[in-house]
Amino acid sequence: MDTYGQFCPVALAAEVLTRRWTPLVIRELLCGSTRFNDLRRGVPRMSPSLLSTRLDELEVAGIVTRRVPEGSDHPEYRLTRAGEELRPIVEAMGVWGRRWTSGDLTDDELDPDLLMWDVRRRLDASKAPRGRTVVRFHFPDQPEARQSYWLVVEGHGEVDLCWHDPGHPVDLVVEAELATMTGIWVGDYRFDEVLERREVKLRGPSELRRSFPRWLGLSLFAAVARPA
Amino acid sequence: MDTYGQFCPVALAAEVLTRRWTPLVIRELLCGSTRFNDLRRGVPRMSPSLLSTRLDELEVAGIVTRRVPEGSDHPEYRLTRAGEELRPIVEAMGVWGRRWTSGDLTDDELDPDLLMWDVRRRLDASKAPRGRTVVRFHFPDQPEARQSYWLVVEGHGEVDLCWHDPGHPVDLVVEAELATMTGIWVGDYRFDEVLERREVKLRGPSELRRSFPRWLGLSLFAAVARPA
DNA sequence: CAGTATCCGATGCGATACTG
DNA sequence: CAGTATCGCATCGGATACTG
C-alpha cells in the first residue's frame, strides 16, 4: 500500500514524492541530467535497479518521459511540465535543509566524486578565461584513487570532469581537505577566509588565482541565510 | 539506514520529510491542530503508535515541540520555527498535487469524517450569521453511522463538529452524495453549478441558503488553476 | 484523552552480479 | 552505455488490543 486514501492534494503529491531517493532523482533531472549514468553520478549510493524502478514510477506518474532521440541509441530522461513544476518544492526543500539541518558535515556525507560532479555542473565557464583552462583539484586526505580530479574548462562553455590526468598542462591546482572544500561548496565557509587561513591552497598564475573563486560557483543553496 | 549520505541540503531535508505520513502530520500541525487526537482525526488511517513515533522523530529533528501547558494535563504539539518554515514546502506540494494528480476521486479517498473535519476547520464563522447556526450535513449514500454530521457555528467564531444530534434546532440541511460534496470541497465542482443541477440540496431559510456558500469555505487548494 | 505494547507480514531496498 | 536479474534481510508500518 503506497497510497494514503485522502483527497487532500498534499497527500496525493506525497504519494509520489516521499519514496526513498525520489526527491534526489528529481533534483538531478531539474539540474539538467538526462542520461541514466549521469543520473547515477548524482545519486551514487542508489543502486541502478532502484534508479530504474524510480524512473519507471516517475514516468507512470507523468513526471518524466523517456525517449531515445533519433540518430542516437542512448535514452534520455526529461521532466514533463508536471515534473518541471516540482522545482519549487525541491528548491524549498533545499532552502529548508540549508537553514535547519545541522551544519556539521559528517564523514559519511563527504564524497569527492559527488562534490566534483556538482562543481562541474555549477562552474560558470563564461566567467573563466578564454581558451582552455585546466584545473586540478587535489584532496590530500583522501585515498589515492580519490585524490585528484581534473576540470577541463573550455572557453566556449564546455566543462569536462576527468578522474585521470587528461594530459593537458595544468593551469591551476586547488588543494584542500575534502571537508574544507565541501564546506566552501555548501556555504559553511567563505572562500576568501579559508584561503587566508591557508586551508585551501591555489597554485598557478596570480591572475587565475584571483579570478578562480568568481567562476568556481557554489551550491545553489550556499547563499541561503541561516537563522541566528 | 534512513540517511542519504549526501551533503546536498535537498537530501538532508528529504531525510525528514519523506517518511511515510510525515508530510500529512506536518500539514495538520500547520493547520493548527495541537492535540494528539486532533492530529489523529486529520490522518485517520494512521495508527496511533505510528503517529506517536512520527511526533517523536519530528521532535528530535527540531520541528515539533511537545509540552504540557500549565494548568492542563493535555500535551500540545506545536511547530518550532523550523517546523513553521516547512509551510512553503507543504503548500507547494498541495498546489502541485491539485494541478497534476488525476482529478477523479476514488472511492477509497472519500471519507466523510475527514471531509467534515476539514470543513469545520476552514469554515469562516465570521461570515456566518450572528448567534448560533446549526447546519446538518447529510450524505444519503453513506452507511447510517456516517450519514449525518452537525456543525454548530457560534457567532463569535467557534465551530463545533458533532457526530450525533446535539439537540439544537437545525437551521440548515445540506444534502449531497459524499463524492459530490467532496468534489465541491476540493474544487472539482463549483457550488452554484452543482446546486443548480440539484446534486446538492439546501433546506432552510432562503437567506441562509444564499449566504451559506460564502462562509462554507473550501479546501485551501480549491482555487488552484489546473492545466488545460 | 493520550498514548503503549505487541505481533507479524509485506516489501522496500541494498548488494551484487550479469547482459546486450 | 544502460540497464536487468536475483536474493534475502531488515524494517516499516498495519492491525489490534490495552493502559493510566
Side-chain angles (χ1 to χ4, degrees):
Chain A
M1 155 136 162
D2 50 354
T3 171
Y4 287 115
Q6 286 202 182
F7 49 79
C8 171
V10 175
L12 299 173
E15 287 171 12
V16 188
L17 288 175
T18 69
R19 318 214 56 197
R20 184 156 171 78
W21 292 108
T22 295
L24 304 193
V25 173
I26 293 170
R27 177 201 65 196
E28 289 304 302
L29 290 160
L30 285 168
C31 286
S33 291
T34 62
R35 303 270 290 271
F36 192 82
N37 280 349
D38 284 349
L39 292 169
R40 285 191 67 178
R41 275 186 266 277
V43 282
R45 305 217 188 173
M46 187 182 190
S47 81
S49 54
L50 188 52
L51 173 56
S52 179
T53 303
R54 288 288 179 272
L55 288 168
D56 288 348
E57 289 167 2
L58 289 171
E59 197 172 357
V60 169
I63 291 169
V64 160
T65 57
R66 174 190 192 277
R67 60 179 284 266
V68 180
E70 290 185 60
S72 157
D73 54 349
H74 298 305
E76 289 182 358
Y77 297 92
R78 293 188 182 279
L79 292 168
T80 61
R81 174 118 181 266
E84 180 55 42
E85 287 194 18
L86 292 170
R87 189 182 293 276
I89 302 177
V90 175
E91 280 184 356
M93 285 175 66
V95 169
W96 187 91
R98 175 74 191 136
R99 282 175 62 74
W100 296 105
T101 57
S102 135
D104 303 327
L105 295 167
T106 66
D107 282 0
D108 185 55
E109 283 159 3
L110 299 179
D111 179 337
D113 285 348
L114 187 54
L115 175 64
M116 293 307 304
W117 181 246
D118 256 16
V119 166
R120 186 209 71 105
R121 181 157 59 194
R122 292 274 301 159
L123 189 139
D124 188 349
S126 74
K127 295 203 180 107
R130 295 168 200 288
R132 174 192 293 153
T133 310
V134 178
V135 184
R136 181 165 78 95
F137 283 75
H138 190 244
F139 305 115
D141 60 327
Q142 291 298 297
E144 188 149 359
R146 303 291 179 79
Q147 277 194 0
S148 281
Y149 297 81
W150 289 260
L151 278 180
V152 182
V153 184
E154 306 282 358
H156 54 275
E158 201 177 307
V159 184
D160 272 334
L161 171 63
C162 307
W163 283 258
H164 301 288
D165 190 343
H168 306 303
V170 170
D171 301 294
L172 184 70
V173 176
V174 183
E175 183 178 313
E177 292 193 358
L178 178 58
T180 304
M181 195 65 219
T182 306
I184 293 172
W185 177 255
V186 300
D188 283 349
Y189 315 132
R190 286 182 43 185
F191 203 112
D192 51 0
E193 292 175 0
V194 175
L195 203 56
E196 191 153 343
R197 289 204 301 274
R198 307 284 299 151
E199 290 170 18
V200 62
K201 292 167 190 158
L202 298 183
R203 281 194 293 275
S206 69
E207 174 53 31
L208 207 52
R209 286 175 1 231
R210 251 201 310 280
S211 75
F212 175 67
R214 289 200 297 278
W215 44 274
L216 166 64
L218 295 178
S219 152
L220 260 175
F221 305 104
V224 169
R226 307 190 74 183
Chain B
M1 155 138 162
D2 50 354
T3 171
Y4 287 114
Q6 286 202 183
F7 50 78
C8 170
V10 175
L12 298 173
E15 287 173 11
V16 188
L17 288 175
T18 68
R19 317 214 54 196
R20 185 156 170 77
W21 291 108
T22 295
L24 305 193
V25 173
I26 293 169
R27 176 200 68 196
E28 288 305 300
L29 289 160
L30 284 167
C31 286
S33 291
T34 61
R35 302 271 288 271
F36 191 84
N37 281 347
D38 284 350
L39 292 168
R40 285 191 67 177
R41 275 187 266 278
V43 281
R45 303 216 188 173
M46 187 183 191
S47 79
S49 53
L50 188 52
L51 174 56
S52 179
T53 302
R54 286 290 178 271
L55 288 168
D56 288 347
E57 289 167 3
L58 289 171
E59 198 173 355
V60 168
I63 291 169
V64 160
T65 57
R66 175 191 191 275
R67 62 179 282 266
V68 181
E70 289 186 58
S72 157
D73 54 350
H74 299 304
E76 288 182 358
Y77 296 92
R78 294 188 183 279
L79 292 168
T80 61
R81 175 119 181 265
E84 179 56 40
E85 287 193 18
L86 292 169
R87 189 182 295 275
I89 302 176
V90 175
E91 279 184 357
M93 286 176 67
V95 168
W96 187 91
R98 175 75 191 137
R99 281 176 63 74
W100 296 105
T101 57
S102 136
D104 302 329
L105 295 165
T106 66
D107 282 0
D108 184 56
E109 285 160 0
L110 299 179
D111 179 336
D113 285 346
L114 186 54
L115 174 64
M116 293 307 303
W117 181 246
D118 256 14
V119 166
R120 185 208 72 103
R121 182 157 56 194
R122 292 273 301 159
L123 190 139
D124 188 349
S126 73
K127 294 201 181 107
R130 296 168 199 289
R132 174 192 295 150
T133 310
V134 177
V135 184
R136 182 165 79 94
F137 283 75
H138 190 244
F139 305 115
D141 60 328
Q142 291 299 297
E144 188 148 359
R146 302 290 177 82
Q147 279 195 357
S148 281
Y149 297 81
W150 287 261
L151 279 178
V152 182
V153 184
E154 305 284 357
H156 55 274
E158 199 177 309
V159 184
D160 272 333
L161 171 64
C162 307
W163 284 258
H164 301 288
D165 189 343
H168 308 302
V170 170
D171 301 294
L172 183 70
V173 176
V174 183
E175 184 178 312
E177 291 193 357
L178 178 59
T180 304
M181 196 64 221
T182 306
I184 293 171
W185 177 255
V186 300
D188 284 348
Y189 314 132
R190 285 183 41 185
F191 202 112
D192 53 358
E193 292 174 0
V194 176
L195 203 57
E196 193 154 339
R197 289 204 301 274
R198 307 284 297 149
E199 290 172 17
V200 61
K201 292 167 190 157
L202 298 182
R203 282 194 293 275
S206 67
E207 175 51 34
L208 208 51
R209 285 174 3 230
R210 251 200 311 279
S211 75
F212 175 68
R214 290 199 298 275
W215 44 274
L216 166 64
L218 295 178
S219 153
L220 261 174
F221 305 104
V224 170
R226 307 190 74 182

